[in-house]
mmCIF file of all heavy atoms in Angstrom:
data_model
loop_
_atom_site.group_PDB
_atom_site.id
_atom_site.type_symbol
_atom_site.label_atom_id
_atom_site.label_comp_id
_atom_site.label_asym_id
_atom_site.label_seq_id
_atom_site.Cartn_x
_atom_site.Cartn_y
_atom_site.Cartn_z
ATOM 1 N N TYR O 308 -7.563 -5.265 -2.286
ATOM 2 C CA TYR O 308 -7.471 -6.594 -1.692
ATOM 3 C C TYR O 308 -7.675 -6.617 -0.186
ATOM 4 O O TYR O 308 -7.593 -7.666 0.416
ATOM 5 C CB TYR O 308 -6.159 -7.283 -2.073
ATOM 6 C CG TYR O 308 -4.908 -6.569 -1.657
ATOM 7 C CD1 TYR O 308 -4.315 -6.847 -0.453
ATOM 8 C CD2 TYR O 308 -4.327 -5.606 -2.475
ATOM 9 C CE1 TYR O 308 -3.171 -6.205 -0.059
ATOM 10 C CE2 TYR O 308 -3.185 -4.956 -2.101
ATOM 11 C CZ TYR O 308 -2.605 -5.256 -0.895
ATOM 12 O OH TYR O 308 -1.470 -4.599 -0.516
ATOM 13 N N ARG O 309 -7.930 -5.499 0.405
ATOM 14 C CA ARG O 309 -8.293 -5.489 1.818
ATOM 15 C C ARG O 309 -9.402 -4.468 2.044
ATOM 16 O O ARG O 309 -9.409 -3.412 1.407
ATOM 17 C CB ARG O 309 -7.071 -5.126 2.698
ATOM 18 C CG ARG O 309 -6.123 -6.278 2.887
ATOM 19 C CD ARG O 309 -6.785 -7.395 3.669
ATOM 20 N NE ARG O 309 -6.121 -8.674 3.434
ATOM 21 C CZ ARG O 309 -5.312 -9.259 4.298
ATOM 22 N NH1 ARG O 309 -5.085 -8.694 5.459
ATOM 23 N NH2 ARG O 309 -4.772 -10.425 4.014
ATOM 24 N N PRO O 310 -10.320 -4.785 2.949
ATOM 25 C CA PRO O 310 -11.497 -3.920 3.106
ATOM 26 C C PRO O 310 -11.214 -2.642 3.891
ATOM 27 O O PRO O 310 -11.951 -2.305 4.812
ATOM 28 C CB PRO O 310 -12.479 -4.833 3.836
ATOM 29 C CG PRO O 310 -11.631 -5.773 4.609
ATOM 30 C CD PRO O 310 -10.376 -5.968 3.810
ATOM 31 N N VAL O 311 -10.172 -1.927 3.526
ATOM 32 C CA VAL O 311 -9.841 -0.702 4.247
ATOM 33 C C VAL O 311 -10.780 0.455 3.912
ATOM 34 O O VAL O 311 -10.897 1.418 4.660
ATOM 35 C CB VAL O 311 -8.394 -0.258 3.966
ATOM 36 C CG1 VAL O 311 -7.411 -1.210 4.608
ATOM 37 C CG2 VAL O 311 -8.140 -0.151 2.483
ATOM 38 N N LEU O 312 -11.451 0.324 2.784
ATOM 39 C CA LEU O 312 -12.367 1.382 2.355
ATOM 40 C C LEU O 312 -13.375 1.732 3.436
ATOM 41 O O LEU O 312 -13.760 2.893 3.612
ATOM 42 C CB LEU O 312 -13.095 0.873 1.102
ATOM 43 C CG LEU O 312 -13.870 1.829 0.234
ATOM 44 C CD1 LEU O 312 -13.038 3.036 -0.117
ATOM 45 C CD2 LEU O 312 -14.326 1.104 -1.016
ATOM 46 N N PHE O 313 -13.779 0.716 4.182
ATOM 47 C CA PHE O 313 -14.843 0.906 5.159
ATOM 48 C C PHE O 313 -14.393 1.710 6.368
ATOM 49 O O PHE O 313 -15.212 2.228 7.112
ATOM 50 C CB PHE O 313 -15.391 -0.454 5.576
ATOM 51 C CG PHE O 313 -15.907 -1.232 4.401
ATOM 52 C CD1 PHE O 313 -15.120 -2.170 3.772
ATOM 53 C CD2 PHE O 313 -17.183 -0.989 3.909
ATOM 54 C CE1 PHE O 313 -15.593 -2.870 2.663
ATOM 55 C CE2 PHE O 313 -17.662 -1.679 2.801
ATOM 56 C CZ PHE O 313 -16.868 -2.617 2.178
ATOM 57 N N GLU O 314 -13.087 1.821 6.554
ATOM 58 C CA GLU O 314 -12.584 2.632 7.659
ATOM 59 C C GLU O 314 -12.881 4.101 7.423
ATOM 60 O O GLU O 314 -12.819 4.921 8.344
ATOM 61 C CB GLU O 314 -11.071 2.454 7.818
ATOM 62 C CG GLU O 314 -10.624 1.018 7.979
ATOM 63 C CD GLU O 314 -11.096 0.392 9.277
ATOM 64 O OE1 GLU O 314 -11.609 1.139 10.143
ATOM 65 O OE2 GLU O 314 -10.973 -0.833 9.424
ATOM 66 N N LEU O 315 -13.186 4.441 6.187
ATOM 67 C CA LEU O 315 -13.458 5.836 5.835
ATOM 68 C C LEU O 315 -14.941 6.141 5.826
ATOM 69 O O LEU O 315 -15.347 7.278 5.565
ATOM 70 C CB LEU O 315 -12.860 6.136 4.449
ATOM 71 C CG LEU O 315 -11.346 6.005 4.337
ATOM 72 C CD1 LEU O 315 -10.903 5.904 2.890
ATOM 73 C CD2 LEU O 315 -10.687 7.203 5.003
ATOM 74 N N MET O 316 -15.759 5.115 6.071
ATOM 75 C CA MET O 316 -17.202 5.297 5.958
ATOM 76 C C MET O 316 -17.844 5.455 7.337
ATOM 77 O O MET O 316 -17.332 4.950 8.324
ATOM 78 C CB MET O 316 -17.827 4.082 5.259
ATOM 79 C CG MET O 316 -17.240 3.745 3.905
ATOM 80 S SD MET O 316 -17.441 5.056 2.692
ATOM 81 C CE MET O 316 -19.212 5.151 2.563
ATOM 82 N N PRO O 317 -18.999 6.127 7.380
ATOM 83 C CA PRO O 317 -19.771 6.149 8.626
ATOM 84 C C PRO O 317 -20.364 4.770 8.889
ATOM 85 O O PRO O 317 -20.297 3.897 8.018
ATOM 86 C CB PRO O 317 -20.853 7.191 8.333
ATOM 87 C CG PRO O 317 -20.972 7.225 6.845
ATOM 88 C CD PRO O 317 -19.609 6.920 6.311
ATOM 89 N N PRO O 318 -20.958 4.588 10.058
ATOM 90 C CA PRO O 318 -21.475 3.257 10.403
ATOM 91 C C PRO O 318 -22.471 2.718 9.377
ATOM 92 O O PRO O 318 -22.449 1.542 9.056
ATOM 93 C CB PRO O 318 -22.143 3.487 11.760
ATOM 94 C CG PRO O 318 -21.459 4.666 12.329
ATOM 95 C CD PRO O 318 -21.067 5.541 11.182
ATOM 96 N N ALA O 319 -23.348 3.584 8.884
ATOM 97 C CA ALA O 319 -24.300 3.146 7.864
ATOM 98 C C ALA O 319 -24.148 4.032 6.642
ATOM 99 O O ALA O 319 -23.914 5.235 6.757
ATOM 100 C CB ALA O 319 -25.732 3.210 8.394
ATOM 101 N N PHE O 320 -24.272 3.437 5.481
ATOM 102 C CA PHE O 320 -24.051 4.192 4.244
ATOM 103 C C PHE O 320 -24.746 3.468 3.096
ATOM 104 O O PHE O 320 -25.176 2.321 3.241
ATOM 105 C CB PHE O 320 -22.551 4.316 3.970
ATOM 106 C CG PHE O 320 -21.820 3.004 4.049
ATOM 107 C CD1 PHE O 320 -21.698 2.187 2.929
ATOM 108 C CD2 PHE O 320 -21.280 2.559 5.250
ATOM 109 C CE1 PHE O 320 -21.046 0.966 2.999
ATOM 110 C CE2 PHE O 320 -20.626 1.331 5.324
ATOM 111 C CZ PHE O 320 -20.511 0.538 4.202
ATOM 112 N N THR O 321 -24.833 4.145 1.970
ATOM 113 C CA THR O 321 -25.424 3.502 0.797
ATOM 114 C C THR O 321 -24.301 3.001 -0.109
ATOM 115 O O THR O 321 -23.152 3.444 -0.005
ATOM 116 C CB THR O 321 -26.284 4.487 0.001
ATOM 117 O OG1 THR O 321 -25.428 5.459 -0.619
ATOM 118 C CG2 THR O 321 -27.277 5.208 0.893
ATOM 119 N N LEU O 322 -24.651 2.126 -1.009
ATOM 120 C CA LEU O 322 -23.639 1.607 -1.926
ATOM 121 C C LEU O 322 -23.100 2.713 -2.822
ATOM 122 O O LEU O 322 -21.938 2.687 -3.211
ATOM 123 C CB LEU O 322 -24.210 0.469 -2.766
ATOM 124 C CG LEU O 322 -24.442 -0.837 -2.004
ATOM 125 C CD1 LEU O 322 -24.923 -1.933 -2.943
ATOM 126 C CD2 LEU O 322 -23.165 -1.268 -1.313
ATOM 127 N N SER O 323 -23.943 3.683 -3.151
ATOM 128 C CA SER O 323 -23.452 4.785 -3.974
ATOM 129 C C SER O 323 -22.412 5.605 -3.230
ATOM 130 O O SER O 323 -21.414 6.025 -3.813
ATOM 131 C CB SER O 323 -24.615 5.700 -4.378
ATOM 132 O OG SER O 323 -25.371 5.084 -5.377
ATOM 133 N N GLU O 324 -22.662 5.815 -1.951
ATOM 134 C CA GLU O 324 -21.674 6.559 -1.169
ATOM 135 C C GLU O 324 -20.361 5.785 -1.102
ATOM 136 O O GLU O 324 -19.279 6.363 -1.208
ATOM 137 C CB GLU O 324 -22.208 6.818 0.243
ATOM 138 C CG GLU O 324 -23.334 7.844 0.277
ATOM 139 C CD GLU O 324 -24.113 7.823 1.584
ATOM 140 O OE1 GLU O 324 -23.899 6.902 2.404
ATOM 141 O OE2 GLU O 324 -24.946 8.724 1.777
ATOM 142 N N LEU O 325 -20.486 4.493 -0.952
ATOM 143 C CA LEU O 325 -19.282 3.664 -0.923
ATOM 144 C C LEU O 325 -18.528 3.780 -2.246
ATOM 145 O O LEU O 325 -17.302 3.918 -2.287
ATOM 146 C CB LEU O 325 -19.664 2.209 -0.660
ATOM 147 C CG LEU O 325 -18.509 1.234 -0.484
ATOM 148 C CD1 LEU O 325 -17.732 1.547 0.784
ATOM 149 C CD2 LEU O 325 -19.007 -0.207 -0.449
ATOM 150 N N GLN O 326 -19.290 3.744 -3.330
ATOM 151 C CA GLN O 326 -18.659 3.863 -4.641
ATOM 152 C C GLN O 326 -18.000 5.226 -4.806
ATOM 153 O O GLN O 326 -16.879 5.326 -5.302
ATOM 154 C CB GLN O 326 -19.697 3.646 -5.743
ATOM 155 C CG GLN O 326 -19.090 3.736 -7.124
ATOM 156 C CD GLN O 326 -20.102 3.475 -8.228
ATOM 157 O OE1 GLN O 326 -21.211 3.008 -7.972
ATOM 158 N NE2 GLN O 326 -19.711 3.776 -9.454
ATOM 159 N N LYS O 327 -18.701 6.271 -4.363
ATOM 160 C CA LYS O 327 -18.120 7.621 -4.429
ATOM 161 C C LYS O 327 -16.772 7.666 -3.707
ATOM 162 O O LYS O 327 -15.818 8.290 -4.179
ATOM 163 C CB LYS O 327 -19.061 8.633 -3.777
ATOM 164 C CG LYS O 327 -20.184 9.131 -4.657
ATOM 165 C CD LYS O 327 -19.826 10.472 -5.293
ATOM 166 C CE LYS O 327 -20.914 10.903 -6.288
ATOM 167 N NZ LYS O 327 -21.135 9.860 -7.339
ATOM 168 N N THR O 328 -16.718 7.013 -2.571
ATOM 169 C CA THR O 328 -15.466 6.987 -1.810
ATOM 170 C C THR O 328 -14.371 6.233 -2.552
ATOM 171 O O THR O 328 -13.230 6.692 -2.641
ATOM 172 C CB THR O 328 -15.707 6.341 -0.433
ATOM 173 O OG1 THR O 328 -16.744 7.049 0.237
ATOM 174 C CG2 THR O 328 -14.450 6.383 0.410
ATOM 175 N N ALA O 329 -14.739 5.095 -3.110
ATOM 176 C CA ALA O 329 -13.750 4.315 -3.872
ATOM 177 C C ALA O 329 -13.243 5.122 -5.062
ATOM 178 O O ALA O 329 -12.053 5.112 -5.375
ATOM 179 C CB ALA O 329 -14.364 2.996 -4.339
ATOM 180 N N GLU O 330 -14.146 5.835 -5.707
ATOM 181 C CA GLU O 330 -13.745 6.638 -6.855
ATOM 182 C C GLU O 330 -12.863 7.805 -6.429
ATOM 183 O O GLU O 330 -11.889 8.149 -7.118
ATOM 184 C CB GLU O 330 -14.987 7.159 -7.588
ATOM 185 C CG GLU O 330 -15.743 6.080 -8.339
ATOM 186 C CD GLU O 330 -17.041 6.573 -8.940
ATOM 187 O OE1 GLU O 330 -17.645 7.516 -8.384
ATOM 188 O OE2 GLU O 330 -17.468 6.012 -9.961
ATOM 189 N N ALA O 331 -13.200 8.394 -5.297
ATOM 190 C CA ALA O 331 -12.394 9.501 -4.806
ATOM 191 C C ALA O 331 -10.950 9.061 -4.584
ATOM 192 O O ALA O 331 -10.013 9.754 -4.965
ATOM 193 C CB ALA O 331 -12.987 10.032 -3.501
#
Side-chain angles (χ1 to χ4, degrees):
Chain O
Y308 60 92
R309 282 295 158 104
V311 290
L312 194 50
F313 302 96
E314 305 293 350
L315 298 163
M316 305 298 297
F320 50 89
T321 69
L322 288 184
S323 285
E324 289 164 351
L325 185 66
Q326 181 178 348
K327 278 263 175 304
T328 304
E330 289 174 331

